[in-house]
Amino acid sequence: MMKILLILDPLDSLKIHKDSSIAIMREAAARGHPLFVCEPHDVLMQQGKVTAKATAFTFANGANWYALDDPAESNLADFDVVLNRKDPPFDSEYLYLTYLLEQAANQGARVLNAPAAVRGWNEKLSVAKFPQFAPPFLVTSRYAEILDFLAVHHDIVVKPLDGMGGNGVFHLTEDSPNKSAILETVTHHEKRTIMAQRYLPEIKTGDKRILVIDGEPLPYALARIPKAGELRGNLAAGGTGVAQPLSVRDWEIAKAVGSTLKAQGLFLVGLDVIGDHLTEINVTSPTCMVEIAAQTDCNPAARFVDALEGIGD
């Protein structure tokens, strides 16, 4: 039996029918593992000691789908595992949380994903660690460099480095009539660094999410297919999720990246692959477990809890 603490966004903000954190919690509860929850602001440090005001959590029936006990302050090392499932954006508050959790890990807590790795693996920039799989890309805040990149590749996407769910992603071609306005918006008038990537037309058949658990990829990806007239396949942007077996190229990418992720303490990661290219490495709170489970014989939440129990042996 493992005592599990999950650091989450507010419970009432979670979509109970599709949230991967809830799927993990249901699987763990079904196996008898005690669950505790808190929000990031419940984690604190006094005189170097990291604690959390954590609340025992149980599932309930009806509109009030959960029940909570009174919060109690506990050392993070008193839990068998601490799962940080806070969603982006990776802002200053998220950064501070990783520092607190890293200190907790130094005091004996098992924190997943490893806080220093979460801090060091920006979800957009980390594709640079695997240039053999990444599409051509540019990181800058300057209009001139972006326009030069566009002139070379003719068709690009631009996106912020700290977003999620497709927020702030724009498609640019040389014929786009509003290039200047888009660049002003996405770079905050050259004050925010962004990523530009060569547009991959394979997005029309899906932005594939590949889940990697403890270094091992699941055999199915969720291809998130954009709705008509939309660039982004993200489910949060209205995309449709279709589960499909990993291709030979998907396996090649996931196996190569997975071994590095495991060595870094990145226990659960979502790789985004468009066509044959790795476009993002999601290390904060990867999703798509529920959709894959509903369409295949693979239960990602069960695989995740199996792996958790394995590291607890």
Side-chain angles (χ1 to χ4, degrees):
M1 186 179 299
M2 300 181 72
K3 187 178 176 182
I4 302 172
L5 171 65
L6 295 101
I7 303 172
L8 301 167
D9 289 294
L11 290 173
D12 289 338
S13 73
L14 305 182
K15 296 178 174 63
I16 62 173
H17 64 287
K18 61 176 291 185
D19 192 279
S20 293
S21 296
I22 294 175
I24 291 169
M25 294 165 71
R26 288 193 187 280
E27 182 67 29
R31 301 187 189 194
H33 298 302
L35 300 176
F36 297 80
V37 297
C38 73
E39 295 180 28
H41 64 257
D42 295 317
V43 180
L44 60 143
M45 180 166 61
Q46 297 184 71
Q47 300 300 112
K49 194 71 174 177
V50 181
T51 63
K53 294 185 182 299
T55 306
F57 171 98
T58 54
F59 284 100
N61 296 320
N64 296 323
W65 56 274
Y66 62 87
L68 300 175
D69 288 348
D70 293 331
E73 190 167 339
S74 303
N75 292 330
L76 269 64
D78 291 341
F79 298 94
D80 294 293
V81 65
V82 176
L83 302 178
N84 181 18
R85 292 284 302 172
K86 173 72 177 72
D87 281 341
F90 199 101
D91 54 14
S92 58
E93 287 301 311
Y94 211 127
L95 176 67
Y96 303 149
L97 177 63
T98 67
Y99 286 126
L100 295 180
L101 293 178
E102 184 178 20
Q103 179 72 354
N106 293 336
Q107 294 166 1
R110 175 179 283 144
V111 182
L112 302 175
N113 285 329
V118 170
R119 192 167 62 243
W121 284 64
N122 177 273
E123 298 190 327
K124 309 297 188 294
L125 290 174
S126 291
V127 298
K129 301 176 188 289
F130 304 96
Q132 69 273 35
F133 301 130
F137 67 89
L138 167 74
V139 178
T140 185
S141 63
R142 296 187 179 275
Y143 302 157
E145 280 81 358
I146 300 170
L147 292 173
D148 287 345
F149 185 77
L150 176 60
V152 170
H153 296 287
H154 314 298
D155 201 353
I156 66 173
V157 295
V158 292
K159 53 189 176 181
L161 298 178
D162 60 354
M164 65 168 289
N167 292 331
V169 178
F170 292 93
H171 185 196
L172 278 179
T173 68
E174 291 181 289
D175 297 328
S176 295
N178 56 346
K179 290 195 291 286
S180 295
I182 288 174
L183 294 183
E184 289 168 4
T185 298
V186 74
T187 68
H188 293 181
H189 297 274
E190 296 192 315
K191 292 182 175 63
R192 179 171 73 169
T193 302
I194 59 99
M195 173 176 279
Q197 285 181 333
R198 177 168 62 82
Y199 174 73
L200 300 170
E202 297 92 338
I203 184 62
K204 295 174 183 176
T205 60
D207 179 355
K208 294 174 285 188
R209 166 58 56 84
I210 301 171
L211 293 174
V212 180
I213 299 172
D214 199 23
E216 291 297 321
L218 298 185
Y220 294 94
L222 190 76
R224 297 161 296 171
I225 301 170
K227 64 182 180 181
E230 175 61 75
L231 162 72
R232 303 164 299 174
N234 309 75
L235 301 183
T240 300
V242 178
Q244 57 187 229
L246 267 58
S247 68
V248 172
R249 177 64 166 179
D250 294 339
W251 278 112
E252 179 187 4
I253 293 171
K255 280 289 194 180
V257 177
S259 60
T260 300
L261 299 173
K262 181 174 181 176
Q264 292 289 315
L266 293 166
F267 189 79
L268 173 62
V269 176
L271 308 180
D272 288 351
V273 175
I274 300 175
D276 290 335
H277 293 91
L278 177 67
T279 60
E280 293 188 15
I281 301 175
N282 295 271
V283 301
T284 49
S285 57
T287 61
C288 298
M289 287 188 175
V290 174
E291 293 84 357
I292 291 172
Q295 298 180 41
T296 72
D297 59 358
C298 177
N299 184 338
R303 293 282 195 97
F304 180 83
V305 178
D306 285 344
L308 273 189
E309 291 173 341
I311 64 171
D313 291 342

